């Protein structure tokens, strides 16, 4: 039975000579059990120092008469080091006299697994860098000693594009390369960790603001160096937010919050740069968070309102259609500009929720206009992200059908940002809607990712020239040439041209002469609540033309 036990079981007399050794002991030393008996550790143990340690422990047990628990290592006959959990017990036998009885459990694999678990608990399994859990531990000493240090919050720019286009395998390999570069840059006194995803944190101890900025500049250059993976050369950039102790705070949480605020500013300024924290940045981040939280409940709190801006015929001046626009009046902050909350909604994924509200409200408005005898086409802006959401096409159809709006009375306006997504899927959705009679317009044309290929593929009815070109088309020859080219392009593609941002009679004369079909701008009407536009139409304070039809 003793020989069947997988643990080492042995007994020695007072001289250290083995009087019992089971098969496990024999196997680890490569010597038959019967041969081990009558031998001492020093006679066969591969490591003399280990043998001396075994003897010291045996003598202590014999001297004290007490059980001893020992964590020890042995070297087997192959030269492998094994970790043992050993218990030695004093005993006295009538046949052999006093001695030591021992049992050893081999915990080599268990301890290796525990060490691996402990390592993974403190390190990123992909990059080998410490993880966020080690940040607080590292900062304990500099915080305790009140020493100056800088915390750098780093975010890789557009890393999601690498993952989405080339797959997570390539993305993971890219992260390993960047992490290795960061580790090479780290001095022994400093710290770097992978905070999560494509975010990293550097802590520079005993550093100045100028030194932190110089180090950040070097980081930007290092990250921008090309990486070759599976025969592909990849490049990326990063954005960095810097907070310094004690100027910007003393605790980890405060510095993290402020470095994050600086990082957001660096990304907002165009990425591939670093930004140091300031109080103004924190105010901007706090407002952003407040707007995000408020926007989630804005529809339920009746804070959203639908506006509309009329579009007029270039020749007759008659109102032919209108663009639905979203406005938000927060109970706490008052009116929030669209150019502040719309990009945030896009970034955080709230655009689908508020975009659906706009579609539903626009369809209800159009139904009310039709019931009053108002024949005015109405279009809604749809973001590329919303357009590609699963079920969008079905939702759009169900909404105008349930409200009783003919599809030819409602339109969809998209920007050139649709090219950043799945163009083929976007074309499929828009073509299906267009086949039902829904009009499709490209808004803000010329400032995005213009492509003749997508203009040819998309089922467009209208092309809207961005206001930035219209603004100086009379005074600036370059803008005039651009507007003229866009109009000619649209005509060749059999599209109706809407000039946005028309504010002067001189602009009207130029655009009309160049062949623009429709005007939209303050010269004719500012955006107004849909109720005000209905009143204006019913009071006869404007001309009302016919709904524009798509060219056949």
């Amino acid at each position: 039975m003793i020989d069947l036990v997988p643990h080492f079981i042995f007994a020695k007399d007072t001289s250290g000579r083995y009087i019992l050794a089971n098969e496990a002991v024999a196997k680890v030393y490569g010597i038959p059990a019967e041969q081990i008996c009558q031998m001492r550790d020093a006679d066969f143990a591969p490591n003399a120092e280990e043998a001396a340690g075994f003897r010291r422990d045996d003598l202590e047990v014999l001297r004290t008469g007490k059980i001893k628990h020992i964590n020890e290592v042995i070297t087997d006959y192959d030269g492998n080091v094994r970790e043992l959990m050993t218990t030695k017990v004093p005993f006295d036998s009538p046949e052999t006299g006093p001695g030591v009885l021992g049992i050893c459990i081999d915990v080599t694999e268990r301890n290796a697994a525990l060490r691996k678990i402990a390592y993974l608990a403190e390190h990123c399994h992909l990059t080998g860098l410490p993880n966020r859990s080690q940040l607080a531990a590292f900062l304990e000493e500099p915080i305790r000693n009140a020493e100056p240090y800088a915390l750098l919050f780093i975010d890789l720019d557009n890393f999601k594009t690498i993952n989405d286009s080339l797959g997570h395998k390539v993305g993971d390999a890219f992260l390993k390369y960047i992490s290795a570069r960061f580790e090479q840059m780290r001095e022994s006194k400093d710290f770097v960790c992978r905070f999560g995803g494509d975010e990293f944190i550097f802590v520079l101890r005993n550093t100045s603001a100028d030194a932190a900025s110089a180090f950040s500049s070097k980081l930007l250059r290092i990250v921008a160096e090309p990486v070759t993976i599976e025969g592909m050369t990849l490049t990326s950039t990063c954005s960095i937010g810097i907070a310094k102790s004690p100027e910007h705070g003393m605790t980890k949480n405060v510095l993290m919050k402020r470095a994050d605020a600086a990082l957001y500013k660096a990304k907002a300024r165009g990425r591939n740069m670093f930004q140091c924290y300031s109080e103004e940045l924190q105010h901007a981040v706090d407002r952003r968070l407040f707007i995000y939280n408020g926007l989630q409940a804005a529809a339920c709190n009746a804070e959203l309102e639908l506006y509309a801006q009329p579009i007029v015929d270039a020749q007759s001046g008659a109102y032919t259609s209108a663009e639905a626009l979203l406005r938000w009046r927060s109970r706490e902050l008052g009116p929030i500009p669209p150019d502040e909350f719309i990009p945030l909604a896009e970034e955080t994924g709230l655009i689908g929720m508020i975009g659906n509200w706009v579609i539903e409200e626009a369809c209800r408005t159009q139904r009310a206009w039709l019931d009053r005898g108002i024949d005015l086409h109405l279009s809604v802006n749809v973001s590329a992200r919303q357009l590609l959401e699963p079920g969008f096409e079905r939702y759009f159809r169900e909404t105008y059908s349930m409200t009783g709006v003919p599809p030819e009375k409602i339109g969809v306006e998209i920007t050139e940002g649709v090219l950043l997504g799945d163009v083929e899927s976007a074309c499929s959705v828009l073509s299906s809607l267009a086949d039902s009679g829904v009009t499709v317009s490209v808004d803000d044309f010329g400032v995005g990712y213009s492509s003749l290929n997508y203009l040819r593929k998309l089922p467009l009815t209208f092309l809207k020239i961005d206001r930035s070109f219209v603004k100086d088309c009379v005074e600036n020859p370059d803008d005039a040439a651009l507007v003229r080219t866009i109009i000619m392009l649209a005509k060749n593609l059999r599209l109706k041209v809407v000039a946005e941002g028309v504010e002067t009679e001189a602009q009207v004369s130029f655009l009309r002469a160049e062949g623009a079909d429709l005007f939209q701008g303050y010269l004719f009407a500012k955006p107004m609540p849909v109720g005000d536009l209905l009143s204006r139409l019913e009071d006869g304070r404007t001309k009302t033309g016919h709904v524009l039809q798509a060219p056949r």
Side-chain angles (χ1 to χ4, degrees):
M1 290 179 65
I2 288 176
D3 283 337
L4 293 176
V5 175
H7 309 308
F8 308 156
I9 298 177
F10 59 87
K12 305 175 189 177
D13 62 18
T14 54
S15 69
R17 182 175 285 106
Y18 279 85
I19 57 178
L20 170 69
N22 71 346
E23 286 298 319
V25 175
K27 184 177 180 181
V28 77
Y29 285 121
I31 302 174
E34 59 271 16
Q35 185 177 337
I36 290 179
C37 290
Q38 302 307 311
M39 297 177 71
R40 297 179 176 85
D41 289 309
D43 296 332
F44 59 83
N47 187 305
E49 185 178 344
E50 290 175 8
F54 300 154
R55 182 58 179 160
R56 283 194 301 270
D57 293 333
D58 293 344
L59 290 173
E60 181 180 346
V61 171
L62 290 169
R63 179 177 56 82
T64 63
K66 295 181 180 179
I67 297 173
K68 184 172 186 181
H69 302 286
I70 311 160
N71 291 318
E72 59 186 355
V73 296
I74 67 167
T75 303
D76 64 20
Y77 79 99
D78 287 327
N80 300 315
V81 176
R82 301 194 182 193
E83 300 176 49
L84 304 180
M85 190 167 63
T86 300
T87 300
K88 292 185 175 182
V89 181
F91 80 102
D92 193 356
S93 166
E95 290 82 12
T96 60
V100 175
L101 179 66
I103 181 169
C104 305
I105 300 175
D106 190 337
V107 292
T108 306
E109 292 184 3
R110 188 201 69 171
N111 287 352
L114 290 174
R115 284 191 293 270
K116 184 174 183 180
I117 291 172
Y119 178 85
L120 292 176
E122 298 177 350
H123 292 78
C124 166
H125 73 282
L126 176 66
T127 65
L129 293 179
N131 58 27
R132 67 170 70 187
S133 69
Q134 296 306 293
L135 178 60
F138 180 83
L139 289 177
E140 285 179 0
E141 184 176 349
I143 290 175
R144 182 173 60 251
N145 298 336
E147 71 178 54
Y149 66 91
L151 190 149
L152 280 57
F153 204 152
I154 306 162
D155 181 85
L156 300 182
D157 299 330
N158 301 317
F159 173 72
K160 186 176 184 295
T161 303
I162 295 177
N163 261 345
D164 291 348
S165 59
L166 301 177
H168 289 277
K169 180 182 177 182
V170 174
D172 288 349
F174 185 82
L175 286 175
K176 289 180 182 179
Y177 273 98
I178 297 300
S179 298
R181 291 176 182 177
F182 286 167
E183 180 60 30
Q184 290 174 357
M185 290 184 64
R186 182 185 65 86
E187 296 184 9
S188 58
K189 67 180 178 66
D190 299 329
F191 175 83
V192 62
C193 73
R194 184 186 179 195
F195 192 69
D198 59 351
E199 296 178 331
F200 299 82
I201 287 179
F202 253 102
V203 177
L204 308 178
R205 294 182 62 173
N206 289 308
T207 193
S208 65
D210 289 343
S213 296
F215 186 83
S216 297
S217 295
K218 187 177 179 181
L219 274 177
L220 295 176
R221 293 194 300 271
I222 290 295
V223 171
E225 292 178 0
V227 172
T228 301
I229 301 174
E230 296 184 358
M232 296 176 291
T233 300
L234 306 178
T235 57
S236 181
T237 57
C238 70
S239 301
I240 305 172
I242 306 172
K244 194 167 183 312
S245 177
E247 296 95 315
H248 303 144
M250 301 291 290
T251 67
K252 174 183 80 77
N253 289 340
V254 170
L255 284 180
M256 282 288 299
K257 180 181 178 182
R258 294 181 171 175
D260 188 39
L263 172 63
Y264 171 73
K265 181 63 175 180
K267 291 192 290 186
R269 289 177 57 197
R271 305 174 189 269
N272 192 25
M273 64 179 62
F274 66 85
Q275 175 70 53
C276 295
Y277 170 81
S278 67
E279 290 295 333
E280 293 75 13
L281 293 181
Q282 190 60 57
H283 294 325
V285 171
D286 291 342
R287 178 176 172 85
R288 171 183 165 86
L289 179 61
F290 196 92
I291 289 175
Y292 170 72
N293 290 331
L295 192 57
Q296 295 185 83
C300 297
N301 294 337
E303 296 175 0
L304 300 181
E305 186 176 6
L306 194 69
Y307 273 51
Q309 185 175 26
I311 299 173
V312 305
D313 182 85
Q315 300 303 322
S316 66
Y319 283 22
T320 62
S321 57
E323 178 184 357
L325 301 166
L326 179 63
R327 295 294 183 264
W328 175 27
R329 181 178 293 276
S330 166
R331 294 177 182 176
E332 290 81 8
L333 299 179
I336 310 293
D339 58 2
E340 184 174 8
F341 73 83
I342 293 294
L344 179 60
E346 288 268 14
E347 181 182 338
T348 59
L350 293 177
I351 192 66
M353 178 188 69
I354 65 173
N356 289 349
W357 183 92
V358 171
I359 292 171
E360 293 167 9
E361 195 66 20
C363 286
R364 284 192 289 267
T365 296
Q366 181 61 283
R367 183 64 261 171
W369 286 354
L370 293 171
D371 291 343
R372 300 285 189 93
I374 304 298
D375 192 12
L376 198 69
H377 183 271
L378 184 62
S379 60
V380 295
N381 291 283
V382 176
S383 73
R385 181 168 183 168
Q386 184 184 10
L387 181 71
L388 295 174
E389 285 183 353
F392 170 79
E393 180 187 350
R394 183 181 68 255
Y395 164 79
F396 193 86
R397 290 180 185 276
E398 290 176 350
T399 303
Y400 70 67
S401 296
M402 290 176 62
T403 51
V405 174
E408 63 271 13
K409 301 296 184 184
I410 200 80
V412 170
E413 291 196 15
I414 60 170
T415 64
E416 293 165 285
V418 73
L419 293 179
L420 294 178
D422 185 345
V423 181
E424 296 301 325
S425 295
C427 288
S428 177
V429 171
L430 293 171
S431 295
S432 180
L433 290 175
D435 289 342
S436 301
V438 175
T439 60
V440 180
S441 308
V442 173
D443 198 10
D444 302 331
F445 183 80
V447 297
Y449 300 83
S450 304
S451 166
L452 293 178
N453 186 48
Y454 97 84
L455 281 181
R456 179 178 57 84
K457 287 184 177 181
L458 289 173
L460 301 177
T461 302
F462 303 105
L463 188 150
K464 304 181 75 172
I465 304 175
D466 186 71
R467 67 186 67 247
S468 62
F469 300 127
V470 173
K471 180 175 179 289
D472 297 319
C473 67
V474 176
E475 296 83 7
N476 188 318
D478 292 336
D479 284 353
L482 282 171
V483 170
R484 191 177 294 115
T485 301
I486 292 172
I487 292 175
M488 181 175 63
L489 172 64
K491 295 297 183 181
N492 289 335
L493 293 172
R494 299 182 300 278
L495 303 178
K496 295 284 186 179
V497 177
V498 182
E500 298 183 290
V502 179
E503 297 182 357
T504 68
E505 292 292 349
Q507 292 169 347
V508 168
S509 299
F510 172 81
L511 293 165
R512 184 182 286 138
E514 294 300 332
D517 301 288
L518 302 157
F519 297 145
Q520 181 179 359
Y522 282 11
L523 181 64
F524 306 98
K526 295 182 178 180
M528 64 189 79
V530 290
D532 292 355
L533 178 56
L534 176 61
S535 298
R536 174 177 293 200
L537 294 168
E538 289 186 323
D539 292 346
R541 283 177 279 160
T542 182
K543 302 174 184 178
T544 304
H546 297 289
V547 178
L548 291 177
Q549 300 295 324
R552 300 299 182 184

